[in-house]
């Protein structure tokens, strides 16, 4: 498989980009990596990059976007932060990736058993983590079940995963609300913004349709 070029990027649409990622994740789940020469891709991308998708995911060591979508060099912009939320800097990175560098799809990728989400559920406090986790708190509050306080912590994995999913939806809302540039691109069908959850037990990515 070759690195993307200006010509191949120009043939990409939001729908085709999503399809590429879905196919890549199926290859990953079946341990069927596409045949790529990464060193050759270093050379092929040395004069420019023409990626087709921008993926916001967690820093979790098990959720590398390039690996779980079986992508090579020059294929995707990978934005990573614990708990995959957005802030001004991340929105700026996404605006660069879509408006200036031509990607057609933004994926916000949450995952099961997320440590950052667990920390927010437990109201953990530690140094700079405290303010970082506060960015995930709105998702904790938005998940109303279970109401019993004793069940609303990281020991309840179902609750944790529901919060992680809500956190993806909130990130997408925030992208639309806080980035008029990306909202306009989406309204003009130049890009799609989609959410998904990665299952750390199976390697499968489930897109929200
Ligand atoms: Zn995580």
């Amino acid at each position: 498989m070759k690195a993307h070029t200006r010509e191949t990027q120009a043939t990409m649409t939001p729908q085709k980009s999503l399809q590429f990622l879905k196919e890549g994740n199926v290859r990953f789940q079946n341990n069927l990596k596409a045949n790529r020469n990464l060193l050759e891709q270093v050379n092929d991308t040395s004069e420019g990059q023409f990626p087709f998708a921008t993926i916001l995911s967690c820093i979790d060591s098990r959720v590398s976007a390039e690996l779980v979508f079986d992508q090579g060099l020059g294929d995707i912009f990978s934005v990573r932060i614990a708990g995959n939320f957005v802030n001004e800097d991340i929105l700026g990175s996404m605006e660069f990736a879509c408006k200036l560098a031509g990607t057609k799809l933004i994926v916000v990728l949450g995952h099961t058993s997320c440590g950052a989400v667990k920390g927010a559920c437990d109201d953990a406090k530690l140094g700079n983590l405290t303010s970082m986790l506060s960015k995930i708190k709105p998702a904790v509050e938005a998940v109303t079940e279970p109401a019993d306080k004793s069940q609303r912590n990281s020991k309840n994995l179902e609750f944790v995963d529901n919060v992680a999913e809500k956190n993806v939806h909130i990130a997408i809302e925030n992208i639309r609300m806080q980035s008029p540039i990306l909202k306009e691109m989406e309204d003009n069908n130049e890009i799609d913004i989609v959410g998904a959850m990665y299952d750390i037990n199976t390697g499968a990515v489930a897109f929200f349709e």
Side-chain angles (χ1 to χ4, degrees):
M1 200 171 273
K2 293 283 192 185
H4 279 267
T5 61
R6 192 184 300 279
E7 289 70 35
T8 63
Q9 190 196 46
T11 68
M12 296 300 285
T13 62
Q15 295 72 27
K16 199 169 158 188
S17 300
L18 182 59
Q19 193 57 35
F20 269 43
L21 293 182
K22 285 181 176 172
E23 288 169 7
N25 181 244
V26 170
R27 287 196 300 276
F28 173 70
Q29 287 179 66
N30 293 300
N31 208 21
L32 296 169
K33 267 196 294 221
N35 188 19
R36 288 192 176 85
N37 182 332
L38 286 178
L39 197 57
E40 198 176 277
Q41 289 195 332
V42 171
N43 189 50
D44 292 345
T45 55
S46 64
E47 310 250 298
Q49 58 172 342
F50 304 95
F52 65 92
T54 299
I55 299 171
L56 170 63
S57 58
C58 184
I59 62 167
D60 194 293
S61 62
R62 300 163 292 185
V63 194
S64 160
E66 287 85 349
L67 293 176
V68 306
F69 290 114
D70 187 33
Q71 299 300 313
L73 294 184
D75 290 335
I76 60 170
F77 281 114
S78 189
V79 191
R80 296 182 69 174
I81 189 164
N84 43 265
F85 58 83
V86 295
N87 63 20
E88 196 180 45
D89 304 312
I90 286 168
L91 290 171
S93 300
M94 288 177 162
E95 288 169 1
F96 167 77
C98 294
K99 193 75 181 178
L100 301 180
T103 64
K104 314 292 182 193
L105 180 70
I106 293 175
V107 179
V108 179
L109 181 66
H111 70 99
T112 60
S113 292
C114 179
V117 169
K118 285 179 180 176
C121 291
D122 289 346
D123 202 16
K125 304 238 185 291
L126 175 75
N128 289 295
L129 265 177
T130 307
S131 76
M132 194 203 77
L133 292 178
S134 71
K135 315 280 170 50
I136 306 172
K137 287 283 173 63
V140 179
E141 281 147 28
V143 173
T144 51
E145 297 287 325
D148 179 357
K149 272 222 153 133
S150 68
Q151 304 291 312
R152 297 174 65 81
N153 57 52
S154 64
K155 291 197 186 74
N156 183 348
L157 282 183
E158 191 186 346
F159 175 63
V160 168
D161 291 348
N162 286 340
V163 171
E165 194 171 320
K166 178 61 79 178
N167 187 48
V168 170
H169 287 290
I170 290 174
I172 291 174
E173 282 170 26
N174 287 339
I175 293 169
R176 290 179 179 137
M177 277 191 310
Q178 295 166 23
S179 172
I181 289 180
L182 295 173
K183 172 79 168 71
E184 185 185 29
M185 290 186 82
E186 188 188 32
D187 290 345
N188 292 338
N189 297 316
E190 296 169 85
I191 61 167
D192 267 349
I193 306 173
V194 300
M197 283 289 287
Y198 175 78
D199 186 331
I200 61 157
N201 294 303
T202 63
V205 173
F207 284 91
F208 306 161
E209 301 287 354

